[in-house]
Amino acid sequence: HDIIVRFTIREITDEPQQVKETPVQNSQNGISMPRDVNGHIFFDQLTINPRFNFNSFVVGHSNQFAYAAAKAVADNPGATAFNPLVIYGGVGLGKTHILQAMAQHYLNSNGYDPSVHRVIYVSSEKFTMDFILSLQNKLTHQYSQYYRTANLLLVDDIQFFNNKERTQEEFFHIFNDLHQKGK
């Protein structure tokens, strides 16, 4: 795949960056997303690695239950006994792989229509940084609404929410709303 690398250099000031008045259409998911003064989209999703799918996931005795649960959730989010599904394990055991496989499986099974089938895969760091930016730019409502539009919300490395009380609180409200909607 071709990769485009862009470096942006800006002067660092003590003042938070302001957001442009009008939201800009995000071509990836069809949702209007606010941009900062440099044109960066807030709340944008991470890219899914196409190699991280269920076919390339190595299933063994220690992870066969996690694999089956993840596949069931990807087939029918919110309608299984595994809602929420938390996958826990050591470093390098495939947690990111299985989360991204869930995203790909769901989208491939349902025909990718971002207005109907929204998958948000985000790292805990990105979720937290977006939350901080939304606070700084008075966009907490847009932040919350963005994440609440997901049919399938996948948060990688959620353990890093530890000691981040405001992020935990916001995540709880988003999670609770999605859970009540059967997402």
Side-chain angles (χ1 to χ4, degrees), residues 35-170:
R35 292 182 183 248
D36 68 15
V37 291
N38 293 319
H40 301 121
I41 300 173
F42 292 129
F43 325 137
D44 204 9
Q45 298 177 55
L46 292 177
T47 304
I48 304 294
N49 186 334
R51 294 179 310 167
F52 289 171
N53 57 55
F54 283 127
N55 292 333
S56 64
F57 188 76
V58 178
V59 181
H61 179 69
S62 64
N63 65 6
Q64 64 189 4
F65 182 74
Y67 173 84
K71 196 139 192 208
V73 169
D75 282 334
N76 203 359
T80 69
F82 311 113
N83 189 16
L85 174 63
V86 177
I87 298 175
Y88 176 82
V91 175
L93 295 178
K95 297 177 301 296
T96 297
H97 185 137
I98 206 163
L99 286 175
Q100 292 189 17
M102 290 171 68
Q104 289 188 66
H105 182 82
Y106 176 76
L107 291 172
N108 291 335
S109 297
N110 292 291
Y112 182 67
D113 180 355
S115 64
V116 178
H117 303 288
R118 292 251 4 261
V119 174
I120 297 176
Y121 167 79
V122 66
S123 69
S124 60
E125 178 184 23
K126 178 80 170 104
F127 186 93
T128 301
M129 291 307 298
D130 283 345
F131 182 58
I132 291 168
L133 285 171
S134 75
L135 289 171
Q136 290 174 343
N137 292 286
K138 297 178 174 66
L139 291 169
T140 53
H141 178 73
Q142 290 91 329
Y143 171 86
S144 177
Q145 288 306 114
Y146 173 75
Y147 282 101
R148 290 172 192 233
T149 62
N151 295 85
L152 184 61
L153 175 61
L154 304 164
V155 182
D156 205 349
D157 291 326
I158 200 166
Q159 72 274 13
F160 293 121
F161 286 165
N162 191 27
N163 298 324
K164 294 180 176 83
E165 290 181 31
R166 292 283 310 268
T167 302
Q168 287 178 26
E169 182 180 332
E170 186 62 29

